[in-house]
Amino acid sequence: MTDNKMRAITTFVRVSWDALKAGREREAGIARRQSDRLQELVAFAREHSPYLARRYQSVPAHVTHIDQMPALTKAEMMAHFDEWITDPAVSRKKAEDFIADPNLIGHDLLDRYVVCTTSGATGTPAILLHDRRALTVYNVLGYVRSMRTVLSARQVWALLRGKGRMAAVFVTGGHYLGNTMIARRHQAMPWRAKTQRLFSALTPQDELVDELNAFSPVILGGYPSALDLLARQQLAGRLHIRPFFVSAAGETLTDEARQRISAAFGCRVSNYYGSSEAIGLTFECAAHRMHLNSDWYIVEPIDADGRPTPPGQMSDGVLITNLANRIQPIIRYQMGDRIAISPTPCPCGSPFPQISVEGRTGDVLVFPSAEGAAIRILPLPLVTVAEETPGLASCQLIQTAPSTMLVRLSVTRPQDEPAVWNALRTRLVDYLAAQGAGPVIIEKGSEGPQLHPRSGKFRQVYSEVVH
């Protein structure tokens, strides 16, 4: 065994033992770990990140409360990427060149950093780096906290009997988090390619159903909208799989969708909230309540003016601090999700805070096929297809009639708008046709992306058609 592998195993065991101890030491032990790790992260950022060192000049040497520090944005991080990163060997150009090469999916930048990019579903895409120590923490939080709350001895046997076949339905084809992590596993242990597969949410529905029937997974994961679509296919008798566990992530899982998915597959449906910036942020307990891994993350619900929201009240946004990652410190990082932290303890008895989440949402659009059948179009894959258009800064997709979609867009350079629009329209038409939708009219809006007229929130994909 190499020295690197031995160190990795030692670190995993040490972090796992600490995660178990944190739960046993209850609120006091969790709070102490959170405070100590915040001090260490801030000190490291001050020493190794030129940009954050400047931003923290007025911050006390010893941070006694997280709100003594400034909130930071994704746009700010990307604009100052080279000075934000704590390793001078990394630059934005190197990271962009890396993610521009699909052959490097599953490999590490400089052989030591995982690189992923967001889809831009909430605006500007981000480039995120994670160091290996952080990856160990994420894995521990997944195995020690998440899996042990949902897998019984009987289910472990079912997993072994099913030869460990795990399937996930997310967007593939780029350096997105799920795609990258699955590819890394396949690189490290090629045999896993036979038992762990990522299916593209961009695949036409009939093909996706056939592929899943052939693979027959015993664990199924994916976007809630994708899982809901598959549940409908299972109830209709076209999909024939028997997972004993289903995991939803990437969008808000509604109670209605959870019930339908559970009924269709006859198993538990678990929900997860996290992001490419905050992997391993939450876990779900046996009571179907979501908890924060608050020994490794600090989460601050805020209102529209950036002020803290009281416990139990749904926020307008959230500030996330990732205490594990050193290469790209995420400290009081603004995200648009709406969350509420419960003022009461969970019935499961966990000392970790209980939260509810209204994360990314988007309507499933329903277009008729040429034969009149209803074709359901998932929001996140549709957004990904649109936002991969060169020169596009942001867009909003609205179904205004059964076979009409309005597109509001903004572009990086105004002079390129005609060319960007033509390319975007072609991509959308081709994608909708590949999904089986009949001719869909794509119209260009006269204004850029707007807040939803009723909710006052920004919704990137929604329908004005009553089905």
Side-chain angles (χ1 to χ4, degrees):
M1 183 179 295
T2 66
D3 289 343
N4 285 340
K5 285 187 177 179
M6 192 64 199
R7 280 195 294 270
I9 292 173
T10 301
T11 301
F12 185 88
V13 171
R14 178 173 55 80
V15 176
S16 297
W17 177 241
D18 181 81
L20 291 171
K21 286 177 61 181
R24 293 169 183 165
E25 292 176 13
R26 311 295 294 178
E27 289 81 1
I30 294 168
R32 175 174 51 80
R33 286 171 171 80
Q34 185 186 94
S35 177
D36 291 347
R37 287 165 182 164
L38 177 62
Q39 304 303 325
E40 293 169 4
L41 178 61
V42 173
F44 186 88
R46 277 176 153 150
E47 181 177 354
H48 297 282
S49 169
Y51 180 73
L52 293 179
R54 291 198 303 273
R55 292 287 272 121
Y56 295 160
Q57 284 180 352
S58 61
V59 174
H62 182 79
V63 178
T64 57
H65 197 276
I66 187 70
D67 64 8
Q68 293 175 302
M69 310 186 68
L72 303 168
T73 66
K74 177 167 58 177
E76 190 176 355
M77 181 179 73
M78 294 307 298
H80 301 278
F81 189 92
D82 290 357
E83 289 191 298
W84 191 303
I85 294 294
T86 60
D87 184 345
V90 177
S91 67
R92 180 168 180 171
K93 184 178 186 309
K94 286 182 181 178
E96 288 177 337
D97 289 345
F98 185 91
I99 62 177
D101 187 349
N103 295 316
L104 294 177
I105 296 172
H107 296 268
D108 291 349
L109 177 65
L110 302 179
D111 292 326
R112 56 183 182 271
Y113 302 122
V114 167
V115 184
C116 61
T117 182
T118 63
S119 66
T122 54
T124 306
I127 299 173
L128 286 311
L129 276 70
H130 299 273
D131 55 60
R132 290 182 176 173
R133 174 179 172 273
L135 292 175
T136 299
V137 172
Y138 307 153
N139 282 329
V140 166
L141 295 177
Y143 290 118
V144 174
R145 297 244 171 94
S146 295
M147 297 305 289
R148 68 192 293 264
T149 63
V150 298
L151 290 184
S152 63
R154 178 182 177 186
Q155 289 170 325
V156 171
W157 170 242
L159 179 62
L160 296 174
R161 192 173 64 247
K163 300 179 180 179
R165 291 189 302 275
M166 303 180 187
V169 183
F170 293 106
V171 172
T172 63
H175 287 259
Y176 304 120
L177 179 63
N179 206 27
T180 294
M181 299 307 288
I182 288 288
R184 283 186 88 249
R185 293 173 191 168
H186 293 174
Q187 288 281 344
M189 291 172 276
W191 57 268
R192 281 187 168 186
K194 294 182 179 180
T195 60
Q196 298 182 10
R197 286 186 56 187
L198 186 61
F199 293 82
S200 175
L202 302 175
T203 303
Q205 296 171 30
D206 291 346
E207 291 181 31
L208 180 59
V209 166
D210 290 343
E211 291 175 0
L212 286 170
N213 279 334
F215 186 62
S216 189
V218 292
I219 291 181
L220 177 65
Y223 302 127
S225 58
L227 297 173
D228 193 19
L229 181 148
L230 292 173
R232 294 170 187 270
Q233 295 286 335
Q234 182 94 351
L235 292 170
R238 291 183 285 271
L239 183 63
H240 310 284
I241 61 175
R242 302 174 73 91
F244 68 81
F245 176 64
V246 174
S247 177
E251 298 170 332
T252 297
L253 176 66
T254 65
D255 291 340
E256 179 186 4
R258 189 199 287 262
Q259 292 169 8
R260 181 161 43 244
I261 296 166
S262 179
F265 297 115
C267 67
R268 176 191 171 101
V269 178
S270 184
N271 192 20
Y272 168 79
Y273 167 58
S275 69
S276 298
E277 298 90 346
I279 306 169
L281 179 61
T282 65
F283 67 96
E284 191 175 79
C285 69
H288 292 289
R289 309 291 178 87
M290 196 178 295
H291 295 266
L292 291 170
N293 284 311
S294 51
D295 49 343
W296 284 104
Y297 286 98
I298 301 174
V299 172
E300 304 170 74
I302 54 174
D303 64 18
D305 296 318
R307 297 171 303 197
T309 56
Q313 179 177 314
M314 190 61 67
S315 70
D316 290 292
V318 62
L319 303 178
I320 300 286
T321 298
N322 180 336
L323 299 171
N325 194 20
R326 297 291 179 86
I327 177 60
Q328 188 177 29
I330 301 295
I331 304 173
R332 303 201 82 205
Y333 181 90
Q334 294 186 27
M335 297 179 64
D337 297 333
R338 305 182 68 217
I339 75 166
I341 298 181
S342 175
T344 58
C346 180
C348 76
S350 173
F352 294 94
Q354 176 189 338
I355 69 166
S356 53
V357 181
E358 290 182 12
R360 291 185 295 183
T361 60
D363 291 344
V364 174
L365 307 184
V366 181
F367 294 103
S369 69
E371 295 77 25
I375 304 298
R376 301 174 67 83
I377 304 296
L378 305 183
L380 278 181
L382 183 65
V383 165
T384 301
V385 168
E387 291 191 336
E388 288 180 345
T389 306
L392 184 71
S394 63
C395 68
Q396 188 172 39
L397 311 172
I398 307 162
Q399 184 178 10
T400 56
S403 294
T404 304
M405 185 163 66
L406 176 72
V407 179
R408 295 171 176 160
L409 73 153
S410 63
V411 297
T412 305
R413 301 195 313 168
Q415 62 268 33
D416 294 338
E417 183 168 321
V420 173
W421 164 243
N422 287 332
L424 173 59
R425 180 172 54 189
T426 299
R427 291 176 63 84
L428 291 172
V429 167
D430 290 347
Y431 174 69
L432 293 171
Q435 297 297 309
V440 177
I441 299 170
I442 309 294
E443 298 179 339
K444 182 174 179 291
S446 59
E447 55 190 2
Q450 303 289 312
L451 299 180
H452 192 275
R454 290 186 296 276
S455 69
K457 304 294 181 183
F458 179 72
R459 300 184 65 195
Q460 194 162 25
V461 181
Y462 65 92
S463 177
E464 297 178 341
V465 179
V466 178
H467 297 285

